[in-house]
Amino acid sequence: MKGRYDTAQTGRTGSTVSFHDVDYVIQVKESRKTTVNKYILRDVNGFFSPGMNAIMGPTGSGKSSLLDVLAARKDPKGLRGMVLIDGQSQPADFKLISGYVVQDDVVMGTLTVRENLAFSAAVRLPRSVSAEEKADRVDDVISELGLKSCADTKIGDEFTRGVSGGERKRTNIGMELIIKPSILFLDEPTTGLDASTANAVMLLLSRLSQRGRCIIFSIHQPRYSIFRLFDKLHMLSQGETVYHGPSDKALEHFSNLGYICEEHNNPADFFLDVLNEDSSAVQSVTDIADEAQENEDTMERGFRKESGFGIDNLKDSLVEQYKKSYHYSDMQTSLSKLYDNYRGTEDPMINQAVYPTSLFFQFLYLCGRNARNIWRNPRVSTGQIFVSSVFALIVGAIYFQLDKTATAGVQNRVGAFFFIAMNMLFANTSAVEPFIAERIVFLHESASGFYRVSAYFLAKITADLIPVRFLPTAIFATISYWMLGLKSEAASFFIFFLNLQTSTFAACGIAFFIGASTRNIGVANLGIAIAYVLMIIFGGLLVNIASLGAWIRWVQYLSVARYCVNTLYITEFKDKTFCDPPINNGTSQLCIDGNEFLESQGIDYSDWGLWQNQVALVAITVGLMFFTYVRLLRMPKLK
């Protein structure tokens, strides 16, 4: 960010964020046919200079919305107004060069503190920065945040105990400090922390702000030891500003309005009590109301004691009183200077943000992180291998060395193929988890410019398909094929192996798409179960497809099970005859011609008929992967 604004309030030189006439409107449904506009933010103005800048207000007042607007993370639809950085338009890469710490901690639990910071340094710092310099940057952040004692400790997850809540929060902050941002945004940085830990985190932020950083954060109800760290306070009520100015002048402002904070009362608690009108502090409002009866402007806004002094009227009164204060006039003067500077310069060309690292480089580091995550949390991969081995032994034991009789031989092959197709589908239901379990991490990191969506997607499916899907399926195919006693030909085994792999990938494609389309694991499991059951029904296993009506027969072309079973049938039954042993004198013998059996099932057993099933499975896989990628692109992230 070019240019710096030296502010007299803090005496520090650094970036200044100013916001001018900001409105944020969303559409809310009143009924099925009508929608109304709801103002989340209305006519919000102000500026934040280097130091500790707090956005406070009751729940639902618009704190997080204002923070997101300033950080350029809000959907521009419904957003009006202007945000300037040092009196200039926000650069296209603002999200890449500023820091943003979300309310919920989002770091990989299987990695250590140092490894998480090293990943941020690897993908967010340009390639021109050497590996030694990146390592030094990581060490500097660890030292700056007081994380030396836990630097090589895993963050921890639901299975593994790791660092404390405060250390986890500091690691999140460190992920952003790696790029040395001059502006750092934090959404409710004390959420989930005990009072002592919250105080330690805020003291850390205060020290960072004293080095010239502009720290902007939303916070609900801090204790006094935290409140006194604030340099500037922006207070909201129902989306409108009721105070913007030095934090140590806020009590004086409200005192001038007749709201007296009791001795030993926490100012933050007092302010919220006033805004919520739920304590004795608000009782002095009636005195203000009596005096306001004589003011025509105030009476026009409905500020009447006898009509009841509700929260809406209270908010309107506080907004009007703030606009009459010297804090408002001082703020407008500073904003005018920044806006005049903006009008005196040309807007920078707004181009697409440029990532500091290439797609391939990001892909490699994401693959490395995913591999390390799988290695340190082997429950999924080893569990998948164990389950595949067990099911292969089960099907092999039940249908061991299938005979070639017309009665048992054909029936048992049909049963074995049904079991195999079922396993290829339902053994991959766990593929819904990758995009759900890391959803929050992905949304935050992609929004902060860690990596491209394409790099994340390619790395994720590579890390999941090869170790977690390909290897277990290979083990299942190898064990089951020879135990079943199918054709002892290398070509037949190769087709069997290929068929099971393509069926597995297609089933994973379904799971990936469903996992990327919902954030709830229960809904995802229900959706994938329904999809798999329908595929089994229309796979030719439970009903003869040729006997179905044309109006519903088309569903078969979407069934992974159908293509899997068709390939198994063709490989085993084509040009093969199954005969029962001769009865008594050897003149009566039941035989089933394999080709006739395939024709009765409506299966094309030509060479093209065989390979078109594999082409269809590949097409389904590619199509579902594409839709999964599109779904990831449509999630809120870096524009």
Side-chain angles (χ1 to χ4, degrees):
M1 280 167 279
K2 297 180 180 180
R4 291 293 180 263
Y5 181 77
D6 194 6
T7 174
Q9 279 81 355
T10 62
R12 304 168 193 151
T13 300
S15 292
T16 295
V17 180
S18 61
F19 38 108
H20 309 255
D21 303 321
V22 171
D23 290 341
Y24 184 59
V25 185
I26 62 173
Q27 290 190 331
V28 179
K29 279 191 174 183
E30 274 194 338
S31 63
R32 290 195 303 176
K33 295 184 179 180
T34 61
T35 59
V36 296
N37 289 332
K38 179 181 178 181
Y39 276 85
I40 304 300
L41 298 172
R42 185 194 293 268
D43 191 27
V44 178
N45 294 270
F47 69 97
F48 291 133
S49 303
M52 293 284 281
N53 302 279
I55 303 174
M56 278 184 57
T59 301
S61 60
K63 301 187 300 294
S64 294
S65 294
L66 177 58
L67 189 76
D68 289 344
V69 169
L70 300 182
R73 290 170 181 258
K74 212 66 175 174
D75 187 348
K77 182 179 179 181
L79 180 61
R80 294 189 291 270
M82 183 180 300
V83 178
L84 302 179
I85 310 298
D86 297 321
Q88 300 179 16
S89 297
Q90 285 179 314
D93 61 348
F94 182 66
K95 289 186 233 182
L96 276 68
I97 60 179
S98 61
Y100 190 101
V101 180
V102 295
Q103 181 174 347
D104 298 318
D105 299 330
V106 284
V107 283
M108 296 294 289
T110 55
L111 305 186
T112 66
V113 171
R114 187 184 302 278
E115 287 169 341
N116 275 290
L117 297 177
F119 173 78
S120 179
V123 297
R124 301 182 75 184
L125 296 176
R127 294 289 300 275
S128 58
V129 180
S130 66
E132 292 77 13
E133 291 175 309
K134 291 178 180 178
D136 291 340
R137 183 78 62 89
V138 170
D139 290 336
D140 290 343
V141 170
I142 289 175
S143 177
E144 188 175 26
L145 299 181
L147 293 171
K148 286 185 177 181
S149 61
C150 62
D152 298 310
T153 304
K154 294 179 183 177
I155 296 296
D157 52 24
E158 63 270 24
F159 301 109
T160 307
R161 185 175 180 179
V163 299
S164 66
E167 292 167 337
R168 189 184 183 98
K169 178 66 70 176
R170 280 181 280 163
T171 302
N172 273 268
I173 296 173
M175 296 280 283
E176 305 302 320
L177 294 182
I178 283 292
I179 60 174
K180 294 185 177 180
S182 60
I183 303 175
L184 179 63
F185 300 93
L186 302 100
D187 187 15
E188 300 281 359
T190 59
T191 297
L193 303 178
D194 60 74
S196 178
T197 304
N199 189 60
V201 169
M202 298 306 292
L203 280 171
L204 167 66
L205 293 175
S206 180
R207 288 196 296 270
L208 294 176
S209 72
Q210 292 169 8
R211 301 175 187 176
R213 285 191 176 94
C214 180
I215 311 290
I216 305 173
F217 53 90
S218 62
I219 195 164
H220 181 64
Q221 201 165 1
R223 58 190 287 187
Y224 177 68
S225 60
I226 292 176
F227 177 81
R228 62 190 179 88
L229 298 174
F230 301 168
D231 293 308
K232 182 167 287 185
L233 178 63
H234 189 104
M235 206 174 306
L236 292 169
S237 178
Q238 299 181 37
E240 295 190 67
T241 303
V242 296
Y243 179 77
H244 177 88
S247 60
D248 57 1
K249 300 294 184 182
L251 281 176
E252 175 188 319
H253 171 75
F254 279 89
S255 176
N256 292 336
L257 300 182
Y259 301 96
I260 309 299
C261 180
E262 296 179 353
E263 190 176 1
H264 307 303
N265 190 10
N266 179 13
D269 295 336
F270 166 73
F271 295 143
L272 291 183
D273 286 342
V274 171
L275 296 180
N276 287 323
E277 196 187 10
D278 61 0
S279 81
S280 59
V282 185
Q283 296 304 312
S284 59
V285 170
T286 56
D287 299 331
I288 303 296
D290 289 338
E291 296 175 7
Q293 294 288 339
E294 302 174 2
N295 189 302
E296 181 179 354
D297 293 336
T298 306
M299 290 181 65
E300 289 178 357
R301 297 191 62 86
F303 188 65
R304 297 184 179 90
K305 178 179 179 180
E306 57 269 20
S307 64
F309 196 76
I311 291 180
D312 288 339
N313 289 332
L314 172 64
K315 181 264 297 181
D316 292 339
S317 174
L318 292 174
V319 171
E320 291 300 320
Q321 293 295 330
Y322 161 67
K323 290 183 177 180
K324 295 176 182 178
S325 69
Y326 72 90
H327 298 292
Y328 181 78
S329 60
D330 288 349
M331 180 265 293
Q332 289 294 341
T333 301
S334 298
L335 286 181
S336 296
K337 293 179 181 178
L338 289 167
Y339 188 70
D340 290 341
N341 180 50
Y342 163 73
R343 289 194 301 176
T345 60
E346 295 183 1
D347 282 343
M349 189 68 67
I350 303 300
N351 296 320
Q352 186 175 2
V354 178
Y355 289 87
T357 52
S358 66
L359 170 64
F360 182 69
F361 189 83
Q362 293 171 0
F363 169 75
L364 288 180
Y365 266 88
L366 283 164
C367 282
R369 184 174 74 167
N370 291 335
R372 190 180 291 114
N373 185 41
I374 292 173
W375 176 259
R376 294 180 181 175
N377 185 21
R379 293 172 180 84
V380 175
S381 55
T382 57
Q384 198 78 8
I385 293 174
F386 175 77
V387 170
S388 296
S389 301
V390 169
F391 273 90
L393 293 172
I394 290 175
V395 70
I398 295 175
Y399 301 102
F400 186 73
Q401 295 301 308
L402 293 166
D403 58 40
K404 299 179 181 179
T405 61
T407 304
V410 172
Q411 181 181 2
N412 288 344
R413 279 172 172 77
V414 171
F417 296 158
F418 174 80
F419 189 100
I420 291 172
M422 288 275 290
N423 183 71
M424 291 304 99
L425 290 175
F426 287 98
N428 293 291
T429 54
S430 61
V432 301
E433 295 181 8
F435 292 112
I436 295 179
E438 296 181 16
R439 186 185 186 91
I440 297 178
V441 175
F442 163 69
L443 291 177
H444 169 64
E445 292 182 344
S446 60
S448 297
F450 278 61
Y451 43 71
R452 297 168 178 82
V453 177
S454 54
Y456 174 82
F457 173 73
L458 292 173
K460 201 64 189 170
I461 63 174
T462 300
D464 187 87
L465 289 182
I466 294 178
V468 185
R469 312 296 163 189
F470 180 85
L471 293 179
T473 302
I475 292 172
F476 179 90
T478 304
I479 295 175
S480 62
Y481 189 87
W482 301 111
M483 288 188 70
L484 291 174
L486 302 178
K487 287 182 179 179
S488 56
E489 301 172 2
S492 297
F493 173 74
F494 169 76
I495 295 173
F496 180 86
F497 183 91
L498 176 65
N499 181 44
L500 265 55
Q501 294 291 355
T502 52
S503 300
T504 293
F505 291 168
C508 289
I510 299 169
F512 285 161
F513 176 71
I514 293 176
S517 301
T518 180
R519 65 184 65 190
N520 187 291
I521 188 66
V523 174
N525 284 330
L526 178 61
I528 198 172
I530 293 174
Y532 286 170
V533 168
L534 288 175
M535 289 184 177
I536 292 293
I537 293 175
F538 289 93
L541 299 167
L542 304 178
V543 63
N544 190 307
I545 300 296
S547 66
L548 295 175
W551 65 275
I552 197 173
R553 193 184 305 160
W554 63 270
V555 180
Q556 66 177 307
Y557 299 111
L558 303 177
S559 174
V560 173
R562 171 180 176 267
Y563 298 116
C564 177
V565 170
N566 283 0
T567 303
L568 294 173
Y569 279 179
I570 294 172
T571 305
E572 185 62 19
F573 286 101
K574 181 181 179 181
D575 299 333
K576 194 172 183 179
T577 301
F578 299 85
C579 294
D580 286 339
I583 300 175
N584 297 330
N585 58 8
T587 58
S588 177
Q589 187 179 25
L590 175 63
C591 291
I592 296 178
D593 181 75
N595 293 348
E596 292 179 357
F597 172 79
L598 294 173
E599 290 174 359
S600 68
Q601 298 296 317
I603 299 175
D604 179 6
Y605 55 87
S606 65
D607 290 341
W608 166 239
L610 171 65
W611 291 109
Q612 72 178 352
N613 291 295
Q614 298 307 299
V615 171
L617 288 171
V618 172
I620 289 175
T621 303
V622 173
L624 288 169
M625 294 298 183
F626 172 76
F627 286 122
T628 301
Y629 175 63
V630 171
R631 183 70 190 95
L632 293 176
L633 278 176
R634 294 183 56 139
M635 293 181 185
K637 60 184 64 66
L638 188 65
K639 300 296 182 184

